[in-house]
């Protein structure tokens, strides 16, 4: 009976994804999950007593996300050690292995009731054992292949395989040494107490222990005898020669010594003391060991960079590439090396392998190093010619730097559009994210690439981090692209946002990025919006190291306009006022004064009859772009309304009124049918505009759901309000007339408020700026008094 109820509830649970990341009912099997798996599933439900059934709403079965937001690609020592440990346990335990998917078992230990009675055929124990072991190995191999496809952590050290010179510069943890029998380790540890402790013997002990089988190495760190060995090494550290000390540090990598271990603390101090007496090759090797051990060593790196600066002319090509790799992994950019790095790249540009070019770009990107447009274009020139021979990982690294430097390299992007769609199905999720993000950051629209991304994503969406899901949504929203499988694409990503909801408390910027990307394409998940606009979340955005007020303001105001049925949290009015003032202050200094906007404003004043007929301001401050507002009566005559303009206010002050009999009659008997332009303007206000800000922005209350047509009768039908858009090329996709998502959102919301949007696109207006005044006046007159506008508005 309980089983039937559970099956009936499954479909409904799969749709309720707002606050539950994973809902499970675990069978009591003879295994436990690893600590890392538990960290990835903090909201997992408590284990029940029933066996067998497992409900997972948002992740594929038994998938374990190895996710650390603090690092994009860390050294492989630790993860390799854990992987070896897991596989050895799988071979030693025929039922299950921690942290790996369980194989289908002939008889689950947790529930013998689920089995039919065994009557005739009774398998032999050895047969069952072999069958279970083979199934486990097959399952592990399949999961390993799937993990290799979708794993977001590519190895940034692939370039080191291209030249033999890197062997002396790097700690190659991927090359296993000759394995010693496990008994050898016990023998060494027993000898520690009685050995004389000379540097040579201690070095030999560490090297032998590093060649033990993986499961034996895993048990060394907590062993008291190994701690005694480390203590003896620390005591005698200054007696070691530099090559021996390097050998001990290299041995620590396969031994997976924790980054905070006392031995490593002492080694760092000693290497910093000896650094100026070492060779550059040794310094780079030690830096690579620190990276493999995932230990931050800023003092040592400072010495390394200073040493390299003094010996720059002696750097070989492999040493230079390895240095840039270390700079990137250390997330530090020495300012005094920037010019030298550029000259070295240009000198060896044709000699670098394609993988080395990718490593160089990744190092520059991670360290936020500046690079000139000329150097970036030279790199892109070579990549565009040899892209088919380049790995996808290296190519993605070049795209990161291209995106960072904002270089629009058309040949590379065209070749990328030809090469990359076929690779996307076999590219890991983080690589796909960076491809999509590069297109959106460079405003480059390529439907074939975006469609390939959208097709591939739903099956891999559970491998997305919160950051990945957010940037996918931002990229598609920024380019205003809804793919052919839009419902599947967006629903899968929104479900993943729900699954990662707990991460947004630590990374609020990702949730705002995702919600804005959705808003650009008219999608407003109200439960996530309610979460983002709550007071506690708003406070987290204000405490963030990023400037998130613009995104928060755009989201909050967009919900007010496009979601009338929304009943969730909203931004406080005082916060909106604060954001509005900040935006308008910026606009007065940076936007209103742009030459193309100033020229259009002045000419419109001449066309319409004065400054009171046109207003240069932001109708929607949350969209952060200027509008030229003009108001027309239904007969096409302009209506004055901008009396706050200094010149218009002066004109209004000088107007005299003659007391005629007709005027006296109106004052005594009531208002006549005719109205002054000022009265027309006052009656035609948007409801609630009297409470608007000083710039004349409507006070947008209530909220609206996304809709395609504006509400009728937002003001008097005798008035038509035009919102002229003086655009520039940054409002459009590269080399096209396709508006970007933010500017589509702005025009949609202006129409919802009853404005008629009039485009003054840059490809028409900018060439006219060099023409005669009469040509410009004629163009603007046509734009404002086009009969189609009044007909459409009516």
């Amino acid at each position: 009976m309980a089983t039937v109820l559970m099956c009936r509830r499954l479909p409904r649970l799969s749709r309720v994804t707002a606050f539950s990341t994973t809902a499970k009912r675990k069978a009591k099997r003879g295994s436990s999950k690893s600590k890392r798996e538990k960290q990835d599933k903090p909201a997992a439900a408590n284990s029940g007593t029933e066996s067998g059934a497992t409900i997972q709403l948002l992740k594929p079965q038994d998938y374990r996300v190895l996710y650390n937001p603090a690092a994009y690609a860390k050294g492989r020592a630790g993860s390799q050690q854990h992987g070896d440990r897991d596989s050895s346990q799988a071979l030693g335990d025929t039922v299950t292995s921690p942290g790996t998917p369980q194989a289908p078992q002939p008889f689950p230990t947790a529930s013998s009731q689920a089995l039919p009675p065994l009557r005739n055929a009774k398998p032999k124990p050895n047969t069952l054992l072999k069958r279970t072991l083979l199934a486990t190995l097959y399952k592990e191999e399949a999961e390993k292949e799937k993990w290799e496809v979708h794993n977001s952590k590519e190895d940034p050290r692939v370039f080191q395989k291209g030249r033999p010179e890197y062997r002396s510069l790097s700690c190659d943890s991927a090359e296993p040494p000759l394995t010693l029998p496990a008994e050898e380790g016990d023998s060494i540890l027993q000898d520690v107490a009685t050995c004389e402790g000379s540097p040579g013997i201690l070095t030999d002990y560490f090297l032998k222990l590093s060649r033990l089988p993986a499961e034996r190495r895993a048990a060394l760190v907590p062993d008291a005898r190994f701690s005694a060995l480390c203590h003896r090494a620390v005591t005698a550290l200054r007696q070691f020669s530099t090559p021996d000390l390097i050998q001990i540090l290299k041995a620590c990598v396969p031994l997976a010594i924790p980054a905070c271990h006392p031995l490593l603390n002492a080694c760092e101090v000693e290497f910093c003391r000896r650094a100026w007496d070492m060779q550059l090759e040794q310094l780079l090797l030690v830096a690579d060991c620190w990276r493999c051990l995932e230990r931050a060593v800023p003092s040592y790196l400072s010495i390394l960079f200073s040493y390299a600066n003094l010996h720059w002319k002696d750097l070989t090509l492999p040493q230079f590439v390895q240095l840039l790799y270390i700079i990137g992994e250390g997330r530090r950019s020495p300012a005094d090396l920037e010019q030298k790095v550029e000259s070295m790249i240009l000198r060896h540009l044709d000699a670098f392998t394609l993988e080395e070019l990718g490593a160089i770009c990744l190092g520059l990107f991670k360290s936020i190093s500046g690079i000139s447009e000329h150097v970036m274009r030279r790199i892109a020139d070579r990549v565009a010619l040899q892209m088919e021979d380049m790995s996808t990982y290296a190519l993605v690294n070049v795209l990161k730097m291209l995106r960072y430097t904002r270089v629009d390299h058309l040949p590379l992007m065209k070749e990328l559009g030809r090469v990359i769609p076929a690779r996307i199905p076999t590219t890991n999720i983080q690589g796909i994210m960076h491809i999509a993000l590069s297109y959106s950051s460079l405003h480059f629209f390529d439907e074939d690439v975006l469609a390939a991304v959208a097709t591939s994503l739903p099956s891999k969406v559970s491998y997305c981090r919160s950051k990945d899901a957010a940037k996918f949504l931002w990229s598609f929203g920024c380019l205003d692209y809804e793919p052919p499988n839009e419902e599947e694409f967006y629903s899968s990503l929104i479900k993943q946002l729900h699954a990662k909801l707990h991460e947004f408390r630590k990374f609020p910027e990702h949730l705002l990025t995702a919600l804005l990307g959705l808003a650009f394409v008219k999608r407003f998940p109200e439960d996530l919006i309610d979460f983002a606009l709550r007071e506690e979340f708003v406070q987290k955005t204000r405490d963030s190291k990023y400037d998130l007020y613009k995104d928060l303001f755009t989201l909050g105001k967009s919900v007010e306009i496009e979601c009338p049925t929304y009943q969730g949290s909203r931004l406080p009015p005082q916060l909106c006022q604060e954001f509005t003032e900040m935006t308008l202050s910026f606009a007065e200094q940076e936007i209103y004064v742009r030459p193309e906007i100033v020229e259009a404003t002045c000419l419109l004043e001449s066309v319409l009859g004065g400054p009171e007929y046109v207003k240069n301001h932001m109708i929607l401050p949350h969209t952060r772009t200027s509008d030229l507002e003009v108001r027309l009566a239904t007969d096409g005559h302009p209506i004055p309304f901008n009396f706050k303009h200094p010149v218009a206010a002066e004109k209004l002050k000088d107007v005299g009124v003659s007391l005629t009999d007709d005027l006296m009659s109106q004052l005594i008997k009531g208002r006549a049918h005719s109205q002054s332009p000022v009265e027309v303007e006052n009656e035609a206000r948007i409801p609630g505009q009297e409470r608007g800000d000083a710039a004349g922005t409507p006070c947008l209350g209530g909220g609206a759901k996304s809709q395609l047509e504006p509400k009728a009768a937002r003001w008097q039908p005798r008035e038509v309000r035009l919102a002229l858009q003086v655009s520039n090329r940054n409002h459009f996709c590269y080399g096209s007339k396709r508006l970007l998502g933010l500017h589509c959102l702005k025009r949609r919301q202006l129409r919802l408020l009853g404005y008629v949007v009039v485009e003054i696109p840059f490809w028409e207006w900018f060439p006219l700026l060099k023409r005669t005044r009469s040509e410009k006046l004629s163009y603007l007159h046509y734009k404002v008094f086009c009969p189609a506008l009044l007909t459409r508005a009516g």
Side-chain angles (χ1 to χ4, degrees):
M1 191 68 174
T3 304
V4 174
L5 288 174
M6 185 178 299
C7 291
R8 292 180 63 186
R9 292 186 63 185
L10 246 170
R12 188 176 70 220
L13 284 172
S14 66
R15 292 193 294 269
V16 182
T17 57
F19 301 105
S20 175
T21 58
T22 50
K24 289 187 175 182
R25 295 188 61 81
K26 296 181 179 178
K28 285 188 176 179
R29 308 191 185 202
S31 63
S32 61
K33 300 291 182 182
S34 68
K35 292 182 181 179
R36 184 176 294 181
E37 183 177 7
K38 292 179 181 177
Q39 291 171 354
D40 283 338
K41 300 177 181 178
N46 294 331
S47 299
T49 56
E50 297 87 359
S51 67
T54 299
I55 302 174
Q56 283 187 314
L57 302 182
L58 300 166
K59 292 183 179 178
Q61 186 174 4
D62 292 317
Y63 174 69
R64 182 160 60 101
V65 181
L66 300 179
Y67 169 51
N68 180 2
Y72 287 89
K74 302 180 108 176
R76 289 303 181 94
S79 59
Q80 183 75 23
Q81 182 70 26
H82 290 306
D84 293 341
R85 207 174 302 168
D86 287 347
S87 60
S88 64
Q89 288 177 353
L91 292 171
D93 184 358
T94 59
V95 179
T96 183
S97 60
T100 56
Q102 295 185 9
Q105 299 178 16
F107 46 97
T109 58
S111 177
S112 59
Q113 297 174 356
L115 294 170
L118 300 177
R119 292 179 182 169
N120 299 325
K122 237 182 187 180
K124 296 180 180 179
N126 288 340
T127 304
L128 288 174
L129 184 64
K130 290 178 181 178
R131 188 188 307 168
T132 304
L133 183 58
L134 288 173
T136 302
L137 293 174
Y138 176 81
K139 184 74 172 179
E140 286 178 353
E141 188 63 28
E143 191 68 21
K144 181 180 178 182
E145 289 177 4
K146 186 167 67 171
W147 174 252
E148 288 173 352
V149 172
H150 300 299
N151 179 17
S152 64
K153 290 185 178 181
E154 291 275 6
D155 186 359
R157 307 158 64 84
V158 174
F159 71 93
Q160 295 172 350
K161 300 177 181 178
R163 297 179 192 269
E165 293 91 336
Y166 287 113
R167 294 176 185 172
S168 62
L169 303 175
S170 60
C171 178
D172 189 1
S173 58
E175 182 181 350
L178 296 175
T179 304
L180 297 178
E183 296 77 13
E184 184 80 13
D186 293 327
S187 173
I188 292 171
L189 293 177
Q190 287 173 3
D191 292 343
V192 168
T194 58
C195 75
E196 60 185 24
S198 66
I201 293 176
L202 293 176
T203 302
D204 186 59
Y205 282 171
F206 276 98
L207 290 177
K208 287 181 177 179
L209 291 174
S210 69
R211 300 208 302 268
L212 292 174
E215 69 275 8
R216 186 67 187 92
R217 295 198 308 266
L220 285 177
V221 174
D223 194 313
R225 295 172 297 174
F226 181 75
S227 298
L229 174 63
C230 292
H231 178 72
R232 298 195 70 168
V234 170
T235 304
L237 209 58
R238 292 205 173 189
Q239 301 173 26
F240 286 89
S241 66
T242 298
D244 282 348
L245 194 58
I246 293 174
Q247 289 300 314
I248 288 180
L249 190 64
K250 286 183 68 175
C252 289
V253 175
L255 290 171
I257 304 296
C260 58
H261 196 278
L263 175 60
L264 298 187
N265 295 339
C267 285
E268 181 184 355
V269 173
E270 185 62 20
F271 277 119
C272 287
R273 189 182 69 82
R274 299 187 187 193
W276 288 103
D277 298 323
M278 295 166 61
Q279 297 178 357
L280 181 59
E281 186 176 88
Q282 294 175 320
L283 291 171
L284 290 171
L285 174 57
V286 170
D288 198 60
C289 290
W290 291 129
R291 183 57 195 156
C292 291
L293 290 164
E294 302 181 5
R295 180 181 172 95
V297 286
S299 298
Y300 179 83
L301 292 182
S302 294
I303 298 172
L304 168 62
F305 300 153
S306 298
Y307 188 103
N309 193 20
L310 288 176
H311 299 82
W312 192 260
K313 292 183 179 179
D314 301 329
L315 256 68
T316 64
L317 185 151
Q319 288 175 344
F320 170 71
V321 178
Q322 182 70 11
L323 177 64
L324 277 186
Y325 163 73
I326 295 297
I327 288 174
E329 296 305 306
R331 305 302 199 272
R332 289 193 54 199
S333 173
D336 53 347
L337 292 183
E338 288 185 5
Q339 292 297 324
K340 294 182 177 181
V341 166
E342 288 198 5
S343 63
M344 186 72 84
I345 292 174
L346 293 176
R347 186 192 312 170
H348 296 294
L349 184 60
D350 294 331
F352 292 128
T353 67
L354 294 173
E355 297 305 311
E356 286 173 333
L357 275 180
I360 289 169
C361 288
L362 183 61
L364 294 171
F365 177 79
K366 285 185 174 182
S367 60
I368 319 179
S369 300
I371 186 174
S372 68
E373 180 179 342
H374 171 68
V375 174
M376 191 64 240
R377 287 194 179 279
R378 290 287 306 277
I379 294 174
D381 287 341
R382 185 177 170 203
V383 171
L385 294 175
Q386 298 179 279
M387 189 177 295
E388 287 190 346
D389 301 325
M390 198 172 197
S391 72
T392 304
Y393 178 68
L395 182 56
V396 166
N397 291 335
V398 173
L399 290 179
K400 291 177 182 179
M401 202 58 198
L402 201 69
R403 183 178 88 222
Y404 177 72
T405 54
R406 309 293 296 179
V407 172
D408 53 338
H409 195 282
L410 191 58
L412 185 145
M413 297 305 292
K414 285 186 175 180
E415 182 68 6
L416 186 68
R418 188 183 68 82
V419 170
I420 208 65
R423 297 190 186 186
I424 284 176
T426 56
T427 303
N428 64 52
I429 199 70
Q430 191 173 349
I432 298 174
M433 180 273 288
H434 280 294
I435 292 169
L437 187 60
S438 296
Y439 275 88
S440 67
S441 297
L442 297 172
H443 298 172
F444 201 93
F445 180 79
D446 188 317
E447 188 168 4
D448 291 340
V449 173
L450 296 176
V453 170
T455 301
S456 178
L457 184 66
S459 63
K460 303 179 181 181
V461 74
S462 297
Y463 301 86
C464 284
R465 305 166 301 173
S466 58
K467 175 181 180 179
D468 300 327
K471 291 189 175 180
F472 276 121
L473 290 170
W474 170 264
S475 298
F476 277 68
C478 177
L479 296 173
D480 191 41
Y481 178 65
E482 296 185 81
N485 63 332
E486 60 180 286
E487 291 306 322
E488 180 189 22
F489 175 79
Y490 282 109
S491 63
S492 65
L493 282 170
I494 291 173
K495 284 182 179 179
Q496 188 66 4
L497 294 182
H498 285 105
K500 300 295 182 181
L501 202 61
H502 60 282
E503 294 179 9
F504 295 129
R505 292 182 173 89
K506 186 175 181 181
F507 306 105
E509 63 274 11
H510 298 335
L511 181 58
L512 291 182
T513 297
L515 293 177
L516 278 181
L518 288 167
F520 291 162
V521 291
K522 306 185 289 293
R523 295 175 185 269
F524 296 88
E526 295 190 358
D527 50 350
L528 292 174
I529 291 170
D530 174 65
F531 181 83
L533 297 183
R534 290 178 190 171
E535 182 179 355
E536 58 269 25
F537 189 85
V538 171
Q539 186 58 45
K540 287 183 181 295
T541 65
R542 305 199 78 180
D543 296 338
S544 171
K545 63 180 179 180
Y546 301 103
D547 185 5
L548 301 178
Y549 85 88
K550 295 177 184 176
D551 295 343
L552 197 62
F553 187 35
T554 301
L555 177 64
K557 285 298 182 182
S558 295
V559 170
E560 287 187 8
I561 297 173
E562 301 204 49
C563 303
T565 60
Y566 174 72
Q567 300 296 323
S569 304
R570 296 183 185 276
L571 291 178
Q574 65 272 18
L575 197 59
C576 290
Q577 183 63 27
E578 177 187 338
F579 290 160
T580 299
E581 291 173 358
M582 293 171 64
T583 304
L584 295 178
S585 175
F586 170 79
E588 289 174 358
Q589 300 174 25
E590 301 290 338
I591 299 178
Y592 298 158
V593 297
R594 289 177 179 169
E596 67 272 18
I597 295 176
V598 172
E599 181 81 355
T601 305
C602 295
L603 291 170
L604 280 171
E605 291 174 1
S606 300
V607 169
L608 299 172
E612 64 270 26
Y613 293 98
V614 59
K615 186 171 185 178
N616 177 12
H617 69 133
M618 287 184 177
I619 298 173
L620 302 175
H622 62 275
T623 60
R624 304 188 291 281
T625 49
S626 177
D627 306 271
L628 298 181
E629 184 175 353
V630 173
R631 302 183 186 179
L632 302 177
T634 52
D635 61 1
H637 286 85
I639 299 173
F641 67 99
N642 185 22
F643 298 110
K644 292 183 179 180
H645 191 284
V647 178
E650 190 65 29
K651 283 185 180 180
L652 190 62
K653 191 186 300 182
D654 295 338
V655 171
V657 179
S658 302
L659 288 176
T660 63
D661 292 340
D662 184 48
L663 181 55
M664 291 296 294
S665 176
Q666 291 178 32
L667 293 173
I668 296 171
K669 296 180 180 179
R671 190 190 314 184
H673 292 292
S674 60
Q675 294 174 298
S676 70
V678 179
E679 291 171 328
V680 172
E681 192 271 339
N682 287 335
E683 276 198 1
R685 287 183 185 272
I686 302 173
Q689 177 139 351
E690 290 77 5
R691 302 184 299 277
D693 59 76
T697 304
C699 181
L700 306 173
K705 71 177 178 181
S706 180
Q707 47 190 317
L708 298 178
E709 298 299 330
K711 290 187 177 180
R714 296 299 296 268
W715 43 65
Q716 296 295 330
R718 69 188 68 192
E719 180 180 272
V720 178
R721 296 195 179 188
L722 307 182
L724 281 76
Q725 306 299 303
V726 183
S727 59
N728 61 59
R729 65 183 69 251
N730 291 329
H731 297 176
F732 296 84
C733 292
Y734 179 88
S736 78
K737 300 178 181 179
R738 184 187 184 93
L739 275 169
L740 296 173
L742 175 64
H743 305 286
C744 289
L745 173 140
K746 175 188 177 180
R747 286 152 175 77
R748 185 172 73 239
Q749 292 179 3
L750 284 171
R751 293 187 184 101
L752 287 172
L753 295 175
Y755 283 88
V756 176
V757 177
V758 179
E759 297 289 349
I760 304 182
F762 72 90
W763 58 85
E764 294 177 356
W765 182 238
F766 280 36
L768 275 174
L769 293 177
K770 301 177 182 179
R771 307 298 291 269
T772 64
R773 176 180 171 83
S774 61
E775 287 177 293
K776 289 181 277 192
L777 289 172
S778 176
Y779 173 83
L780 292 173
H781 186 279
Y782 171 77
K783 285 290 185 179
V784 172
F785 295 109
C786 177
L789 294 179
L790 297 176
T791 304
R792 194 191 320 160

